[in-house]
Amino acid sequence: MRASLVLAVSAALVAGTALGSAPVAQAAETAGSIRFVDIAGEGGTVLKANVVTPAGDAAARHPLIVLPTSWAVPQVEYLAQAKKLADSGYVVLTYNSRGFWQSGGEIETAGPKDIADASKVIDWALANTPSDPAHVGMAGVSYGAGISLLATANDPRIKAVAALSGWADLIDSIYSGRTQHLQAAGLLGGAGYLTGRPGPELQQILGDFLSSNLDKEDEMIAWGRKRSAVEQLDRINANGAAIMLGNAWGDTIFPPNQYASFYEKLTGPKRLEFRPGDHATAEATGLLGLPNDTWTSAHRWFDRYLKGDDNGIDRERPVQLKPRSDAPYEGYADWKSLDANRRKFDLGGTQRIWANVDSGANGGVVLLSNLLDQFFQAPPVASLPLLPRTFAGVWQSERYDTPQRVRGTVKVHTTVSSTKESGTLVAYLYDVGPLGLGKLVSNAPYTFHDRTPGQPFGVDLDLFSTAYDVPAGHRLALVVDTVDPLYIEHNPTGAQLTFSSPTADPSYVSVPLRAE
């Protein structure tokens, strides 16, 4: 794990350097409009920031957009986008979140001090730049997205938000299925230690999380809820900001399900966009100043809800999905409409597997695998005929005569019994070709504790949402095993899991399909 963590963190830092270098070069060309400043955050903590202002009449007021930086990324992260926004009439202020790089304080992980910082930054901008206090927006990627959403619950001056590759529910992001997302948490923790100063609370939480200290589970969940916008939904809706959410289907740090669920609960102007990729990869080219669909939508969103431009974005179907293929974008009236057309296949019979051994079915590597899927349509693969049935349960659908356009959240229902009180299972959905080679469509983990050995219990598991086209002549297959490098597993040595399909409660996979 240590070796893989070092490699992952190194890759993230190299990417951060690349994202920073191009904007710096552009900044040098427009030195008259960019200022690097210090801002006093909550408690007087110094936040390193930069301001980009539009050219023209110095007395004119302009809409303001505030951009908190991503986790472990320096303040130059957004300069390419800031320049574009300033050229179109915005004052843009980017600041390094507390605890990272040259900003003071300790990493609070979107805690109360971080949210207070956002309001302090807005205060500073309104006092020191030609910003219009009636037209304030926030945006960010990853950590900046999470802070932006939480700030919207606490500062009614924020009228529009673009939260990209972020989280609305921190628990459902890195602890879904009551399972620690090992590589995601390890990457975040490692990058935090390398580029910032984790506070004692974060150090304790991260240590308890990675060591599977179940005695502290309630404390960890309470910590995560305090940092989840979904827990402040009433205040967000009351403040009425226009909120755009963007994410990637394969985000291994903040999976798409929690964003879709949060989106459905918003009552103000809203938009949801999902694209192929992994964490922050859908926005990455835009941070380099290159054409980028996500940032184009964010600009249009701000133009509509901060400038008042009638650009039509509010009349488009608000849920926009880009399949993991060459297919064009698809628009939907809402997220729940994706459930309108479902097709099931049975998980019949009884299958027993031994735990503690990786069968070869895996969800891939954080950041890398879904990046390959984004650019080359090359998801993780497994040969189903070669998967050892001693360690993997395998069920297949019939061969489909027509393409099956999977859209949304695949649901698995089954009955499980274990020879031990605790255990972890990981479910994978594969697109299986004629030769038995399976391409990963989706996956999700599930962990249980305090079960009576030998006593069956029902399991309902939502796989991570996706948009995937299964070609005609292929099958879908569900594979279940007990070990995946993405997750921490809780299978005692020698455990066995049995999957059954009682007559009174049959097991199945329910697949949402696009209505033709």
Side-chain angles (χ1 to χ4, degrees), residues 282-327:
E283 302 85 20
T285 56
L287 294 176
L288 294 170
L290 302 174
N292 181 274
D293 289 352
T294 305
W295 284 105
T296 296
S297 290
H299 286 230
R300 293 180 65 218
W301 192 251
F302 287 129
D303 288 348
R304 175 68 187 90
Y305 290 103
L306 292 184
K307 285 185 178 179
D309 291 354
D310 186 12
N311 57 16
I313 195 169
D314 54 324
R315 295 188 294 276
E316 297 172 0
R317 291 186 175 183
V319 176
Q320 294 287 320
L321 310 182
K322 175 69 173 71
R324 292 162 49 194
S325 65
D326 294 328

Side-chain angles (χ1 to χ4, degrees), residues 34-51:
I34 296 177
R35 289 187 290 149
F36 289 87
V37 299
D38 291 348
I39 298 175
E42 178 68 9
T45 296
V46 174
L47 304 174
K48 296 294 184 177
N50 59 72
V51 182

